[in-house]
Amino acid sequence: MTLENLLKIGQLKVHSTDRGEVQQLLDAARRNLVDAAVEAISLETRFDAAYKTIMQVAMVALLANGYRADSRGHHQIMIQSLPLTIGLAKDRMVILDALRRKRNAADYLGSYVDRDSLEACIVEARLLLNDVERWLGENRVELV
């Protein structure tokens, strides 16, 4: 699958971005990562903040490639497109997708979020933020 194929089947739409849009999302992602570390709030809320970081950063990766998710299941599309947008290793994408499923269970079924899942989500969010910032610096310097 390519980004062009995802566009053809209606999973993506063409989008032109700029430095302001990218920086606004990256700033929000950084704030969410900080919020995820606040011990005074529940594990579920902290997990949600870390997961939101992943989504915002995955959105930046798509935007920097000229696309935006445009469908039901946009979280899945954004995560599963990371190997195409920034060359993320597939095993890392699988971990991010498992975190997506964990977030869905917490949000829609009221499932419990354990400390290990929270810590994994924070680590993966931080790694992805670093990966996307590095990719932008190497490939789309005008956006940083």
Side-chain angles (χ1 to χ4, degrees):
M1 186 65 63
T2 66
L3 294 173
E4 274 296 315
N5 289 345
L6 291 170
L7 176 67
K8 287 178 186 173
I9 62 172
Q11 300 291 312
L12 298 177
K13 66 180 179 179
V14 173
H15 181 83
S16 179
T17 195
D18 59 31
R19 185 180 189 282
E21 181 178 38
V22 165
Q23 289 306 309
Q24 187 170 335
L25 277 166
L26 289 174
D27 288 346
R30 289 182 199 104
R31 287 191 306 271
N32 279 306
L33 198 51
V34 168
D35 289 349
V38 176
E39 301 249 346
I41 56 179
S42 70
L43 296 178
E44 288 83 3
T45 300
R46 293 173 63 197
F47 183 90
D48 198 50
Y51 178 78
K52 190 188 284 188
T53 298
I54 292 167
M55 285 297 90
Q56 290 165 327
V57 173
M59 175 64 81
V60 167
L62 268 177
L63 295 175
N65 279 275
Y67 298 98
R68 181 177 200 94
D70 188 39
S71 68
R72 267 182 78 215
H74 62 281
H75 286 219
Q76 185 174 7
I77 295 300
M78 288 193 298
I79 287 172
Q80 292 180 358
S81 68
L82 285 164
L84 302 172
T85 57
I86 65 163
L88 188 75
K90 293 216 186 217
D91 61 334
R92 291 259 324 276
M93 184 268 298
V94 169
I95 292 168
L96 294 173
D97 202 46
L99 292 168
R100 176 189 62 80
R101 288 190 306 278
K102 181 77 148 172
R103 178 262 182 186
N104 284 352
D107 278 5
Y108 302 118
L109 302 174
S111 295
Y112 177 75
V113 173
D114 59 278
R115 186 164 295 279
D116 288 344
S117 295
L118 165 64
E119 290 173 4
C121 196
I122 291 172
V123 166
E124 290 301 325
R126 186 175 294 118
L127 287 171
L128 187 60
L129 177 60
N130 291 338
D131 290 341
V132 169
E133 288 177 326
R134 182 176 40 257
W135 185 91
L136 288 168
E138 294 170 359
N139 297 280
R140 296 294 310 271
V141 70
E142 73 278 10
L143 297 176
V144 293

